[in-house]
Amino acid sequence: MIKFNEPNDGQVISFKDGSIVTPDKPIVPYIIGDGIGIDVTPVMKRVLNYAIGKAYGVSKEIKWMEIYAGQQALDICGQLLPQETIDAMKKYRVSIKGPLTTPIGNGFKSINVSIRQQLDLFACVRPIRYFPGTNSPMVESNLTDMVVFRENTEDLYSGIEWKPDSDGAKKIIEFIKNELGESPFRFEKNCGIGIKPVSKEGSERLINMAIDFALNEKRDSLTIVHKGNIMKYTEGAFRDWAYELVKNKYHGSVNKDGTYTIKCPKSNHVLTIKDCIADNFLQQIILVPEQHEVIATLNLNGDYISDALAAQVGGIGIAPGANIGDGYGVFEATHGSAESFAGKNRVNPSSIILSGEMMLRYMGWDEAADYVLKGVIGAIQKKQLTFDLARARAGKKFIRPKSKEKNTAEEIKQELMKLVPGATLVSTQGFGDAVIDNM
């Protein structure tokens, strides 16, 4: 059994009347994460602590409590995700984590998926925005400004699958053949099987959260992204349930072009609801990104879309993410663990810093969140960059010479100075300092 070091003077965040209630000294569990988590997570904590102090003085403070998952947990207790970690996330409601790696194959279930399912974090929320000074493949990157709401607990990511030629796969194949009266399988042997559950309840709560966000933030449009032209009873149902919700709960009116309009009763703001087939949507976000603001979609589509959009504004390294349920929020770095860079104090910590900014807003500490955002924007604009962020800004990949010799730090610095003239190359910790200096 694992025991965590709970702060004696901390308080527990509560959930009342559908809202998070944050005390002045909340206990917030954090997971350092695998690989570069050891570099980026401490920097995030330091940046958030400074922003909170700048916004509120000594009246408010996060009481951090380390919990374990991933390799660290495996080393301590032989489990990738101990039950004590899940229990702590439930008790304290709001937590943040560095990148976690799940071994491929070998029967390990994704740690991230397990956390989402066990806490019923049904919405993966990914804001995608452009930070001036960041290079991207887009001519007008500032036109990409979206928030993706991705259903987080169903679809093909639910983990219901059977290995090829396993007894379970054979039984499912036989059952489907009997139900349909014929075999729909091109090849029955060596055939793996996965199940794609999509429910009305699961779809509606995700879409409801997306609509409420769009109305509260006075966004002009919400797009339901689906592949309902092919998967009619799952993806198609998701689209149909969305429009039913718009009509029945929000009293939406249909327009001549088939879209719907909702008027917010408090602000009279008008929101347009439309839908788009997923493959067409992936074209539109490149050709006309300004036509989409808030996105509601299923799990697999949302995974592709979130990362594709992140590339349009400079890469996943500056993309934050949150997993939200009823009264629970887990915020996370959206990139991988990059094991080869672990402990080198070189990588860009923006993703987890900006996820921390999202966490502060979720807690109701908007003033502190504003300072974090201001700091990140200022650091990037002033070219205070880690090597990977500088490389992204230059819009180029760092090309290593064809030799077995590793580049020295000075050689890397000189090369990146050529790519971004006038830049100040900083370490992971140095970028945190730059964010603080620019608040």
Side-chain angles (χ1 to χ4, degrees):
M1 181 177 179
I2 299 176
K3 289 187 177 181
F4 302 123
N5 187 19
E6 180 178 327
N8 294 327
D9 54 347
Q11 301 162 301
V12 179
I13 292 173
S14 60
F15 185 65
K16 185 177 181 180
D17 298 328
S19 298
I20 287 288
V21 180
T22 305
D24 290 338
K25 311 289 182 182
I27 296 173
V28 175
Y30 71 95
I31 297 169
I32 286 181
D34 295 322
I36 59 171
I38 196 172
D39 300 289
V40 300
T41 304
V43 172
M44 173 275 300
K45 290 171 57 187
R46 184 159 55 88
V47 167
L48 263 59
N49 286 342
Y50 187 89
I52 293 166
K54 189 173 179 66
Y56 311 114
V58 297
S59 64
K60 293 184 179 181
E61 177 187 2
I62 286 179
K63 296 294 182 178
W64 299 101
M65 184 179 79
E66 185 177 5
I67 57 177
Y68 310 120
Q71 187 61 49
Q72 186 182 24
L74 196 62
D75 292 341
I76 292 172
C77 68
Q79 301 176 58
L80 287 171
L81 183 61
Q83 183 59 45
E84 291 88 348
T85 292
I86 292 295
D87 292 342
M89 288 177 156
K90 288 181 179 179
K91 178 179 178 179
Y92 298 106
R93 296 191 174 272
V94 176
S95 54
I96 190 166
K97 63 185 182 69
L100 293 172
T101 300
T102 299
I104 297 174
N106 301 320
F108 288 108
K109 186 175 182 179
S110 166
I111 304 170
N112 294 321
V113 170
S114 295
I115 290 172
R116 294 165 191 166
Q117 291 180 342
Q118 292 191 52
L119 272 69
D120 197 23
L121 305 173
F122 60 84
C124 178
V125 184
R126 292 278 295 274
I128 309 293
R129 59 167 293 175
Y130 174 67
F131 288 90
T134 305
N135 201 299
S136 86
M138 307 296 290
V139 175
E140 295 181 285
S141 300
N142 60 301
L143 296 179
T144 301
D145 185 6
M146 305 183 206
V147 181
V148 179
F149 284 78
R150 163 189 165 193
E151 205 290 319
N152 225 3
T153 60
E154 297 189 314
D155 199 3
L156 290 170
Y157 281 21
S158 59
I160 309 171
E161 56 181 355
W162 291 266
K163 291 181 180 180
D165 264 357
S166 64
D167 289 341
K170 292 175 181 178
K171 288 178 182 178
I172 295 296
I173 290 170
E174 197 62 32
F175 171 78
I176 292 173
K177 285 169 58 179
N178 292 335
E179 284 294 305
L180 297 180
E182 59 181 0
S183 177
F185 301 98
R186 179 75 65 184
F187 304 104
E188 293 183 14
K189 292 184 179 180
N190 296 311
C191 180
I193 297 291
I195 303 295
K196 180 185 176 76
V198 177
S199 68
K200 183 176 183 179
E201 181 180 358
S203 298
E204 284 187 342
R205 63 182 183 174
L206 181 280
I207 297 161
N208 188 87
M209 181 182 288
I211 292 174
D212 286 348
F213 170 85
L215 290 173
N216 291 335
E217 296 296 318
K218 297 184 178 179
R219 298 283 186 138
D220 292 328
S221 72
L222 185 149
T223 307
I224 307 296
V225 180
H226 62 93
K227 194 61 179 168
N229 59 325
I230 303 298
M231 293 172 276
K232 300 183 185 299
Y233 302 126
T234 51
E235 303 261 347
F238 180 79
R239 170 194 177 275
D240 294 343
W241 289 326
Y243 282 135
E244 285 180 16
L245 189 68
V246 167
K247 289 185 290 185
N248 297 334
K249 180 175 180 178
Y250 295 92
H251 309 294
S253 56
V254 65
N255 303 312
K256 291 182 179 180
D257 61 358
T259 62
Y260 279 78
T261 297
I262 296 174
K263 180 178 285 188
C264 179
K266 296 180 181 178
S267 65
N268 287 326
H269 179 73
V270 175
L271 174 67
T272 299
I273 311 289
K274 55 190 175 182
D275 73 277
C276 188
I277 293 173
D279 43 355
N280 182 27
F281 181 76
L282 289 171
Q283 296 183 71
Q284 291 193 22
I285 62 175
I286 296 173
L287 300 174
V288 285
E290 70 275 12
Q291 293 186 8
H292 303 281
E293 294 186 53
V294 179
I295 313 303
T297 191
L298 287 168
N299 211 337
L300 183 61
N301 291 335
D303 198 0
Y304 297 150
I305 289 166
S306 297
D307 285 6
L309 284 170
Q312 293 183 201
V313 296
I316 199 168
I318 54 173
N323 300 283
I324 306 297
D326 287 329
Y328 300 101
V330 178
F331 300 79
E332 62 185 0
T334 59
H335 51 70
S337 55
E339 306 283 346
S340 62
F341 290 100
K344 295 182 178 179
N345 192 27
R346 288 172 55 184
V347 296
N348 163 33
S350 296
S351 177
I352 195 167
I353 289 174
L354 291 169
S355 295
E357 181 258 343
M358 289 181 72
M359 183 181 78
L360 292 175
R361 294 195 191 280
Y362 184 72
M363 293 165 57
W365 292 7
D366 289 357
E367 297 87 355
D370 289 342
Y371 278 122
V372 175
L373 192 57
K374 180 182 177 183
V376 173
I377 291 172
I380 294 174
Q381 282 182 329
K382 293 179 180 178
K383 303 181 183 180
Q384 297 167 307
L385 311 170
T386 57
F387 88 101
D388 50 336
L389 195 54
R391 185 173 58 188
R393 175 172 175 141
K396 301 178 181 179
K397 290 185 177 180
F398 181 71
I399 307 300
R400 294 187 181 276
K402 294 181 179 179
S403 75
K404 295 181 180 179
E405 294 182 5
K406 294 183 178 180
N407 297 88
T408 66
E410 183 60 28
E411 287 172 334
I412 293 173
K413 180 178 179 179
Q414 292 301 321
E415 180 66 19
L416 290 175
M417 293 307 99
K418 294 177 185 177
L419 296 178
V420 188
T424 300
L425 188 63
V426 298
S427 64
T428 305
Q429 293 178 13
F431 187 80
D433 293 336
V435 171
I436 288 171
D437 291 342
N438 282 282
M439 285 186 188

